[in-house]
Amino acid sequence: MLVMENIMGTMLALLGAALAAGLAGSGSAIGVGIAGESGAGVMTEDPGKFGLVLLLQALPGTQGIYGLLTAFLAILKVGLLGGGGVSVSLWQGLGILFACLPIAIAGYYSGIAQGKTSAACIQMIAKRPEETGKAVILPAMVETYAVLALLMSVILLNGIKI
Amino acid sequence: MTVAAVSKIGLAVHRDAERAVLGALQSFGLCEIITPRDEEGSAQNPGQKTLAYGFDVDTALGDARYALRVLESYYEEPGDLLSRMLELPERNSVAQLHQIYQAFPLSSVVEKLRQKERALAENHSEYSRSELFQSLLHSLLSFPHELSLITRGTEYVRGILGTLPGENIPKAKADLRTLSSYAEVHTYDYGDSKNEKLLVALYPREEAERVGEALIKLGFVRMDLPQEYQSFAESEQERLLQRLELLRSQEAELLQEFQALASEHVPSLRKAADYLGILKSRDEASENAAATEKTKHFSLWCPKSEIPLLQKALETFQSDIDMVVDLPLEEGDVPPTILRNPRWVHPYEPLTNLYGAPGYGGIDPTAFFAPFFFLFFGMCLSDGGYGLVFACIFLWLFHAYRIEGEKRKFFSLLFWGSVSTVVVGALTGSWLGDMFEQFPFLNFMVPFKESLVVLNPMNDPISFLILSLILGVVQVLFGLSIAMVRNIQKKDYIAAAGDQGGWMTLIVGLILLGLGAGGFVPPLVFLLGKLLAALGAILLVATQGREKEGIVRKVVSGVLSLYNVTSFLGDILSYSRLLALGLATAAVAMIINTLTVLVSGIPYVGWVFAILLFLGGHTFSLAVNALGAFVHSLRLQYVEFFSKFFTASGRFFQPYRFSTRYTTVTGEQE
């Protein structure tokens, strides 16, 4: 029974890691995709804007990194990367799963929202390339919430003692 | 810090000296020419509008730009890419540019280019036409007669060529047979089309009209084959292929000629275009000035500190000009903003420029946010290894290239950011993440690393979070106190006490209250917190409704304003990103190291993958995290800090100077 519980604990932690990397990554993928479509449109007119467009397209990509980061921290915690042999109780596993949720959820939705903002800002620099500074800040406003979610996930993970 | 004081200057110039004076102003480069509003200026301008150069500058400039547009796509830029991107272009004086322009055969080059462009276009259109006929002939290869039967016909026979939907072919054949027993129908596959077939019908001359009608009913689309095709399809195709070959070689020749022209002319052409651009800018300045029969009148903005230099620059024209300094401002005059900061602040000026110009006479926020940005960038990137790599990149760029102006400022900003990154990295014990612990051959560095560590956010994120929030409180209060000092200077004491004093007291009070409730501070401080919070709230209720009418409204707005405490709370919590981004850098680096160690265990080739993963992974991580560190440190300044005291209500100084594209103009003479 105890062995079963140990396996359940580890599996729940893995579910958390999978959700964090999977959902936040999907959010980023959609976001970067939306921004990329807009960027391609702008570059048909002016291929010289590649650098700026790429910068703005990359901005919604960070949620995926935050998700991956949380996922790694989660599996490090249960000893699946090197280390090994850590026993994880059902409750600890559930805790890790919950700790992964903030970045999974906020990463998914903020990635999409940031992608839309980036797309709009790419349209903006098409007309006013001198306003690049502002165009970079607007998507960063959206990212704040992914950063806060990452913060919460990390603090929660840190709070679970194994 | 305040922006530089500027003076409005009136300058009357005798027309004879106008060209030279405008040249001197442009070389001086520190005056902005005020463009007059509609009622004055060009409309009432008597006499010659533009400066007489003896030729039409606009036409010549148009020609030069046309030639550049055509030739630049064939031009191979010399030198390395980084140098072109980072360094200013070649230096030249106006006199040198003038010489190059004089020697440049602009009109003959333009004429030649027009001819060649036309030849290229004709070549292209003939090529695509021939290709079309080539594929047609290819389909007709098995046509048993000479093509002249279709293109010209004979005394008795006529031919027609076109496409017909495949399913109607039997019907077409039958119909033509009924019209004339001599009719002959050939069908062939044509192009990619599955359904459409190529159809050739031969029939007696007198049946032409009826054959045409019958075919059109079946969906026939006629194609015209030029009369020059007379022989059998195979030999005609042979001839056409030779023609295509010739066209291709002609095109290659033309492109080579373009390339030769480009490498011969582009360098001088660019200088000529720049020279014409300078003349044009002088023309425009002249055109906008108010004028009398003999004189032109310019109004200028010039920084007060530069006026002696301006007087010196115009010394040689003393008999032709009349200059009045410190003219009174008229209605509608908006003096431009020039940032004037000590040297150590210069790298941060581009960030103020990005946000917008401070109003004239307003506060320049650059020096206030510079230390915070320096620190925050370091906290967000927070890795000694990344900092060192970043610093080395910029040191190398500064060493290898002559970087000037705004680019230099911006690169210095990033360089100083990397210095702060190294310091923060050392204090938090992150060197490419946990590189020293992960790789056994680096383990000897661990004691040294540990000796520098003050706080490791990976182990103790809460302390680092508190530090981030404390920095937030400090910056928010600092922003409020700047606004407060400003209000006191303006003698707006109510605003200083209410808008800023009220909030500062309330925030400090609430923090002490919170600490007291948590039992972190002695009861006396807790009591002080209560008093301060109450005092702050009273100040706010008393002052925030001061613009409303009637006592009830005043009180209600005052009480409602307390709700804004949430926005201050949000501002301060926003600084928690300093921890999150710092942790993200350290953790991503750690993950890359862990994976590297894992991969290195693969037999035989593991070390190759390990090296690739280590280098690629850390390069990617540095790029992403540096971008994040920059954007988020900047956001904290723009959103959380600037909103407390700064409005970008001004416009930047746009001095009249050489704004050339391809050369750096050093002055009138060498």
Side-chain angles (χ1 to χ4, degrees):
Chain A
M1 194 58 207
L2 189 70
V3 175
M4 174 77 176
E5 202 175 80
N6 276 350
I7 294 174
M8 265 319 273
T10 310
M11 288 305 129
L12 284 173
L14 286 188
L15 176 60
L19 287 177
L23 283 178
S26 305
S28 272
I30 300 174
V32 172
I34 295 171
E37 284 169 23
S38 178
V42 168
M43 281 195 296
T44 357
E45 290 285 317
D46 180 6
K49 293 227 164 64
F50 179 67
L52 287 178
V53 166
L54 190 72
L55 180 78
L56 283 166
Q57 196 197 350
L59 287 177
T62 31
Q63 281 84 349
I65 298 171
Y66 297 155
L68 182 77
L69 173 68
T70 312
F72 266 107
L73 292 177
I75 55 177
L76 265 180
K77 193 127 200 139
V78 297
L80 286 177
L81 267 188
V86 185
S87 129
V88 185
S89 78
L90 185 64
W91 298 114
Q92 287 168 329
L94 205 55
I96 293 175
L97 168 61
F98 289 163
C100 289
L101 290 183
I103 190 59
I105 299 168
Y108 181 75
Y109 288 107
S110 74
I112 298 170
Q114 196 176 0
K116 289 180 185 162
T117 317
S118 278
C121 287
I122 287 173
Q123 296 295 327
M124 177 176 134
I125 57 159
K127 292 218 168 128
R128 298 174 165 268
E130 70 281 3
E131 302 291 3
T132 313
K134 287 161 198 165
V136 174
I137 289 297
L138 294 188
M141 302 296 286
V142 181
E143 195 178 312
T144 301
Y145 303 99
V147 173
L148 294 181
L150 169 70
L151 185 67
M152 208 59 234
S153 283
V154 171
I155 289 177
L156 290 178
L157 275 177
N158 198 61
I160 299 164
K161 296 281 173 281
I162 290 183
Chain B
M1 307 287 151
T2 50
V3 298
V6 296
S7 165
K8 186 177 175 183
I9 293 172
L11 184 67
V13 184
H14 194 272
R15 277 177 185 264
D16 293 343
E18 192 187 0
R19 262 160 78 170
V21 169
L22 278 173
L25 278 179
Q26 209 171 15
S27 304
F28 177 62
L30 284 168
C31 286
E32 179 176 326
I33 297 183
I34 303 172
T35 319
R37 286 173 297 280
D38 297 334
E39 66 272 22
E40 18 179 331
S42 54
Q44 306 176 344
N45 217 337
Q48 174 90 30
K49 272 194 180 179
T50 51
L51 303 161
Y53 294 115
F55 65 96
D56 186 355
V57 176
D58 282 332
T59 316
L61 189 60
D63 280 353
R65 287 190 178 148
Y66 158 77
L68 275 175
R69 200 172 55 240
V70 175
L71 287 180
E72 272 186 332
S73 53
Y74 301 101
Y75 185 61
E76 271 182 42
E77 304 280 347
D80 72 326
L81 185 71
L82 270 180
S83 149
R84 277 207 303 284
M85 280 167 59
L86 299 175
E87 292 181 320
L88 290 178
E90 192 190 338
R91 280 150 208 279
N92 283 288
S93 68
V94 178
Q96 280 169 329
L97 293 179
H98 174 72
Q99 268 179 4
I100 290 164
Y101 170 71
Q102 289 281 315
F104 191 78
L106 184 61
S107 52
S108 78
V109 168
V110 166
E111 187 50 37
K112 212 186 282 178
L113 283 179
R114 292 221 162 97
Q115 270 172 19
K116 298 222 179 295
E117 268 210 311
R118 213 174 302 132
L120 193 64
E122 278 165 14
N123 178 303
H124 281 168
S125 78
E126 190 186 342
Y127 190 88
S128 51
R129 211 169 49 236
S130 303
E131 255 188 336
L132 196 74
F133 286 128
Q134 200 281 119
S135 78
L136 194 61
L137 290 178
H138 188 78
S139 303
L140 291 175
L141 277 181
S142 54
F143 183 61
H145 310 284
E146 290 191 337
L147 293 175
S148 61
L149 219 51
I150 305 174
T151 54
R152 299 186 171 186
T154 65
E155 202 178 333
Y156 303 109
V157 179
R158 269 299 178 85
I160 191 168
L161 168 75
T163 57
L164 192 74
E167 69 269 15
N168 291 345
I169 284 175
K171 177 103 170 59
K173 283 182 176 169
D175 284 1
L176 293 194
R177 281 277 153 70
T178 40
L179 285 175
S180 159
S181 55
Y182 296 112
E184 220 181 292
V185 175
H186 302 268
T187 56
Y188 306 95
D189 288 333
Y190 178 54
D192 297 331
S193 166
K194 293 240 159 56
N195 191 30
E196 294 281 297
K197 294 275 183 195
L198 202 58
L199 177 138
V200 183
L202 303 172
Y203 45 84
R205 182 173 275 257
E206 62 272 16
E207 298 292 342
E209 208 167 298
R210 275 184 287 167
V211 167
E213 279 169 15
L215 285 174
I216 283 171
K217 273 187 203 150
L218 295 172
F220 178 79
V221 181
R222 189 182 166 150
M223 293 165 97
D224 277 319
L225 205 56
Q227 295 216 339
E228 60 185 277
Y229 298 111
Q230 296 199 19
S231 175
F232 287 98
E234 194 177 350
S235 66
E236 289 296 345
Q237 193 193 22
E238 184 69 17
R239 198 171 59 83
L240 202 53
L241 285 174
Q242 279 169 8
R243 180 70 190 159
L244 282 170
E245 185 58 37
L246 181 71
L247 286 174
R248 266 197 295 274
S249 71
Q250 274 175 356
E251 189 199 348
E253 247 169 62
L254 274 171
L255 291 184
Q256 257 176 10
E257 282 171 44
F258 272 120
Q259 265 161 14
L261 281 174
S263 61
E264 184 188 346
H265 291 310
V266 166
S268 346
L269 192 53
R270 286 178 166 170
K271 287 175 190 153
D274 271 351
Y275 176 69
L276 291 167
I278 292 171
L279 297 192
K280 170 95 180 139
S281 73
R282 289 179 187 172
D283 253 359
E284 279 169 355
S286 164
E287 211 173 335
N288 279 328
T292 66
E293 208 58 48
K294 289 269 158 64
T295 59
K296 282 282 182 92
H297 296 264
F298 296 94
S299 307
L300 311 169
W301 296 115
C302 181
K304 283 206 163 124
S305 53
E306 310 297 336
I307 287 176
L309 285 176
L310 174 66
Q311 278 161 338
K312 196 152 177 272
L314 297 180
E315 216 168 29
T316 42
F317 307 105
Q318 244 167 15
S319 56
D320 290 313
I321 62 168
D322 183 26
M323 186 159 90
V324 192
V325 179
D326 286 335
L327 283 178
L329 298 192
E330 290 166 33
E331 204 188 312
D333 278 343
V334 186
T337 299
I338 307 167
L339 303 185
R340 182 133 306 174
N341 283 299
R343 256 181 79 88
W344 65 271
V345 183
H346 285 179
Y348 297 89
E349 283 179 352
L351 302 184
T352 309
N353 293 347
L354 273 181
Y355 188 82
Y360 183 71
I363 309 173
D364 171 7
T366 318
F368 297 124
F369 79 74
F372 287 104
F373 187 90
F374 172 77
L375 179 64
F376 293 170
F377 187 91
M379 288 176 75
C380 290
L381 198 50
S382 77
D383 186 282
Y386 290 161
L388 281 179
V389 172
F390 221 45
C392 289
I393 292 175
F394 288 106
L395 282 180
W396 172 73
L397 284 178
F398 282 133
H399 173 75
Y401 298 101
R402 198 165 144 182
I403 304 168
E404 285 166 75
E406 290 291 294
K407 276 184 198 134
R408 187 174 185 91
K409 286 183 186 172
F410 189 69
F411 282 20
S412 317
L413 166 87
L414 294 178
F415 171 73
W416 288 113
S418 63
V419 170
S420 121
T421 306
V422 174
V423 175
V424 176
L427 296 179
T428 55
S430 178
W431 296 89
L432 296 190
D434 56 353
M435 177 175 68
F436 296 149
E437 285 90 347
Q438 283 278 2
F439 303 110
F441 62 94
L442 289 173
N443 284 350
F444 70 95
M445 289 291 286
V446 173
F448 168 69
K449 183 200 101 169
E450 292 295 338
S451 67
L452 298 174
V453 175
V454 176
L455 174 66
N456 187 341
M458 291 293 267
N459 301 332
D460 185 8
I462 302 302
S463 302
F464 206 89
L465 178 64
I466 292 170
L467 180 68
S468 307
L469 296 182
I470 290 174
L471 283 170
V473 173
V474 169
Q475 200 181 18
V476 166
L477 289 181
F478 183 53
L480 284 173
S481 51
I482 296 169
M484 191 177 188
V485 169
R486 190 77 192 154
N487 276 333
I488 291 172
Q489 282 170 348
K490 283 196 284 188
K491 303 214 185 320
D492 190 352
Y493 299 113
I494 297 183
D499 299 350
Q500 284 89 38
W503 282 116
M504 288 163 77
T505 329
L506 183 63
I507 291 170
V508 174
L510 285 178
I511 291 169
L512 293 180
L513 211 60
L515 290 176
F520 295 105
V521 287
L524 197 64
V525 181
F526 183 51
L527 185 70
L528 181 68
K530 273 185 189 166
L531 285 176
L532 284 177
L535 179 65
I538 291 168
L539 269 173
L540 287 171
V541 172
T543 56
Q544 296 305 292
R546 63 183 184 275
E547 266 147 36
K548 301 277 182 204
E549 304 266 325
I551 186 79
V552 181
R553 283 193 186 179
K554 277 185 204 290
V555 172
V556 170
S557 322
V559 172
L560 282 181
S561 77
L562 289 178
Y563 180 71
N564 278 340
V565 79
T566 53
S567 90
F568 281 94
L569 187 72
D571 286 349
I572 290 164
L573 285 181
S574 179
Y575 287 79
S576 64
R577 78 186 66 228
L578 295 175
L579 163 69
L581 290 168
L583 270 183
T585 318
V588 169
M590 193 180 81
I591 290 161
I592 293 165
N593 293 336
T594 313
L595 291 179
T596 304
V597 172
L598 279 181
V599 164
S600 68
I602 300 173
Y604 307 116
V605 289
W607 61 275
V608 180
F609 288 128
I611 291 176
L612 287 179
L613 188 67
F614 184 80
L615 292 179
H618 282 301
T619 310
F620 172 75
S621 162
L622 174 59
V624 168
N625 284 304
L627 177 64
F630 177 77
V631 166
H632 286 282
S633 314
L634 191 58
R635 175 226 140 99
L636 287 177
Q637 314 309 324
Y638 283 1
V639 181
E640 273 77 20
F641 188 50
F642 281 9
S643 61
K644 304 292 172 289
F645 67 98
F646 176 61
T647 44
S649 55
R651 64 176 186 90
F652 279 113
F653 186 52
Q654 291 168 317
Y656 180 61
R657 61 181 164 204
F658 300 109
S659 53
T660 44
R661 189 157 163 214
Y662 304 105
T663 51
T664 310
V665 181
T666 48
E668 205 60 21
Q669 302 296 327
E670 272 162 69

